[in-house]
Amino acid sequence: MTTAAAAAPRLDPRVARSRAAVLTATVQLLIERGIAGATVEAVAARSGVAKTTIYRQWPDQPSLVLDAFSSLLAAQEPPDTGTLREDLLQMLRGLAAALTTSPAAALMPALIDAAERQPAYRALHHREAEARHSSLRTVLGRGIERGELPPGTEVDLLVDLLAGPLFHRRWVSDRVLDDHFATAVVDTVLLGTHRSPHSNPRTGGPRC
Amino acid sequence: MTTAAAAAPRLDPRVARSRAAVLTATVQLLIERGIAGATVEAVAARSGVAKTTIYRQWPDQPSLVLDAFSSLLAAQEPPDTGTLREDLLQMLRGLAAALTTSPAAALMPALIDAAERQPAYRALHHREAEARHSSLRTVLGRGIERGELPPGTEVDLLVDLLAGPLFHRRWVSDRVLDDHFATAVVDTVLLGTHRSPHSNPRTGGPRC
DNA sequence: ACGTTTCGCTACGGGGCCGTAGCGTATGAT
DNA sequence: ATCATACGCTACGGCCCCGTAGCGAAACGT
């Protein structure tokens, strides 16, 4: 009975309310001032929740920030249009849009930077990245089954080839990142993979 | 008199010494603890230079950190082997090696994160990125002149297509980043670009 | 209506870092 | 040898943030 009760604890609405307010304020502060600026005191001031209340729900600042980060996890479902190209276009266009418009995208560098040194952030970063890549892997796997990609295709390589250019353009080149760019990436990579130059040169192209 | 003297200031060796010690310590602290950890007090402790001396040469902490960042600028000369593929292989392999081994590479996420919010860091980041890309652009330009790339090739797109996957693998996928990977990227992108980089969407893309 | 839980508020000691001042000492230039 | 300069050291007021304690008030569950 105790285990059953602990499994489905109906939450006190007061807890839920303050918890939501705190997380919202934390995300805002993370975007505006970075991890270092997401102070417990600042979160308390911004959210209207007392500092002591925050400490009643989170042991320390890193726990709170990690919680705020994971509250943003929103992995999209893998599309299934019937064509590999269409699936990839849909995914990369969605990614491009998310990287340019979503305010949450702005704090990905902060997560990567923190992951470079702190194990907890590192684990979270990998979890989120894996969640994003799994959809891509699913789509690519279907492409292989359909014969749109050669059988020996290295899926991991393709993931970097497809997603990498979008990230690079957003945070390094700092140029326009739109549907046209996403389309160009998909087509170039698909065309370049069609003959699988690195893995299986003997079999030539599938049906060229 | 004052203007003439300021025009050619031979540096006091004491200044040069403390300056070098401070910058070295700052870089170390940046790598170990990030920007927030590169405190003037910590730098003073690590370098053995008194805190007051640091303030005599830098007005505040951001100036010091920016100075430390720019002391790491080392853009490689564009190679000229005669073949576009060889040039690109050399450059991307060098980049892959730098991203994996160089301790300075570890603080690129920190720079990108800071650039997201602070204009000074943003300017520095763009300056460094531009320096890296210019060599790549030079090599690609020669490829177009030689006819190894179609005349209308979008060089900016190629830069992201080539460099992006390396960054993505280093900081998102967190998988092996070696010569083999760099080679696969170069070959896929070159093959994919050999015909039109983005074919017409009406027919369903680059089908053969 | 009743106990229980969570809340907001105030206050606190502790710590870290900021940026400056003053002063004697060591190192450099001439 | 002399003068100028940069140095290290100590000390300081100020600020921000940490995490905890104690209290009464308000909101909840039954």
Side-chain angles (χ1 to χ4, degrees):
Chain A
M1 198 186 259
T2 54
T3 54
R10 204 178 303 166
L11 209 52
D12 190 320
R14 293 172 290 182
V15 178
R17 227 177 311 162
S18 53
R19 197 182 151 77
V22 166
L23 286 179
T24 302
T26 306
V27 170
Q28 285 179 10
L29 285 170
L30 281 174
I31 294 173
E32 294 174 15
R33 310 186 199 170
I35 292 186
T39 285
V40 175
E41 299 231 13
V43 170
R46 168 78 56 109
S47 65
V49 174
K51 192 171 57 158
T52 46
T53 301
I54 298 179
Y55 277 110
R56 283 179 190 121
Q57 298 199 30
W58 290 274
D60 41 35
Q61 190 255 14
S63 311
L64 170 59
V65 172
L66 281 170
D67 225 356
F69 268 117
S70 30
S71 76
L72 297 174
L73 242 174
Q76 55 176 339
E77 284 300 303
D80 194 0
T81 61
T83 319
L84 174 62
R85 180 169 181 271
E86 280 304 319
D87 285 352
L88 289 180
L89 280 181
Q90 194 166 320
M91 293 203 66
L92 284 213
R93 283 172 177 168
L95 179 58
L99 289 186
T100 49
T101 69
S102 163
L107 42 76
M108 176 160 300
L111 180 57
I112 295 180
D113 179 40
E116 196 82 16
R117 272 166 264 99
Q118 286 137 325
Y121 288 95
R122 185 178 191 81
L124 175 63
H125 173 45
H126 282 158
R127 214 180 315 143
E128 298 207 3
E130 194 50 45
R132 283 194 306 269
H133 293 358
S134 69
S135 322
L136 207 45
R137 261 191 264 270
T138 303
V139 165
L140 290 171
R142 282 202 284 255
I144 296 181
E145 287 176 5
R146 286 198 214 96
E148 292 169 295
L149 290 174
T153 302
E154 299 178 31
V155 177
D156 292 334
L157 170 63
L158 278 188
V159 168
D160 292 319
L161 277 169
L162 290 167
L166 302 201
F167 283 78
H168 193 265
R169 177 152 282 223
R170 165 69 172 82
W171 278 294
V172 183
S173 303
D174 198 40
R175 309 181 80 91
V176 193
L177 173 50
D178 52 5
D179 283 7
H180 175 263
F181 181 82
T183 309
V185 170
V186 168
D187 284 338
T188 305
V189 171
L190 279 186
L191 188 56
T193 315
H194 240 269
R195 300 200 175 186
S196 75
H198 46 278
S199 57
N200 215 354
R202 305 182 268 191
T203 57
R207 45 183 183 188
C208 288
Chain B
M1 193 199 265
T2 53
T3 55
R10 201 181 302 167
L11 208 51
D12 190 319
R14 292 172 291 182
V15 177
R17 228 178 309 163
S18 53
R19 196 181 152 78
V22 166
L23 285 179
T24 301
T26 305
V27 170
Q28 286 179 9
L29 285 170
L30 281 174
I31 293 174
E32 294 175 14
R33 310 185 199 170
I35 291 185
T39 286
V40 174
E41 300 230 16
V43 170
R46 169 77 56 108
S47 65
V49 174
K51 192 170 57 157
T52 46
T53 302
I54 298 180
Y55 277 109
R56 283 178 190 122
Q57 298 201 29
W58 290 273
D60 41 35
Q61 191 254 15
S63 311
L64 170 59
V65 172
L66 281 170
D67 224 356
F69 267 116
S70 30
S71 75
L72 296 174
L73 243 174
Q76 55 177 339
E77 284 301 304
D80 195 1
T81 62
T83 320
L84 173 62
R85 180 170 183 271
E86 279 305 319
D87 285 352
L88 291 180
L89 280 180
Q90 194 165 321
M91 293 202 66
L92 284 213
R93 282 172 177 167
L95 178 57
L99 290 186
T100 50
T101 67
S102 163
L107 40 78
M108 175 160 300
L111 180 56
I112 295 179
D113 179 39
E116 197 80 17
R117 270 166 265 99
Q118 287 137 324
Y121 288 95
R122 184 177 191 82
L124 175 63
H125 173 44
H126 282 160
R127 215 181 313 144
E128 297 206 2
E130 196 48 45
R132 284 194 306 271
H133 293 357
S134 69
S135 322
L136 206 46
R137 260 191 264 270
T138 303
V139 164
L140 290 171
R142 283 202 284 255
I144 297 180
E145 287 176 6
R146 285 197 215 98
E148 293 169 293
L149 289 174
T153 302
E154 300 178 30
V155 177
D156 292 334
L157 170 64
L158 278 187
V159 168
D160 293 318
L161 277 168
L162 290 167
L166 302 201
F167 282 79
H168 193 265
R169 177 152 282 224
R170 166 68 174 82
W171 277 294
V172 183
S173 303
D174 197 39
R175 308 180 81 90
V176 194
L177 174 50
D178 52 5
D179 283 7
H180 175 263
F181 181 81
T183 309
V185 171
V186 169
D187 283 337
T188 305
V189 172
L190 280 187
L191 187 56
T193 314
H194 229 274
R195 308 174 184 188
S196 69
H198 34 39
S199 28
N200 53 353
R202 286 178 167 230
T203 59
R207 291 229 189 100
C208 303

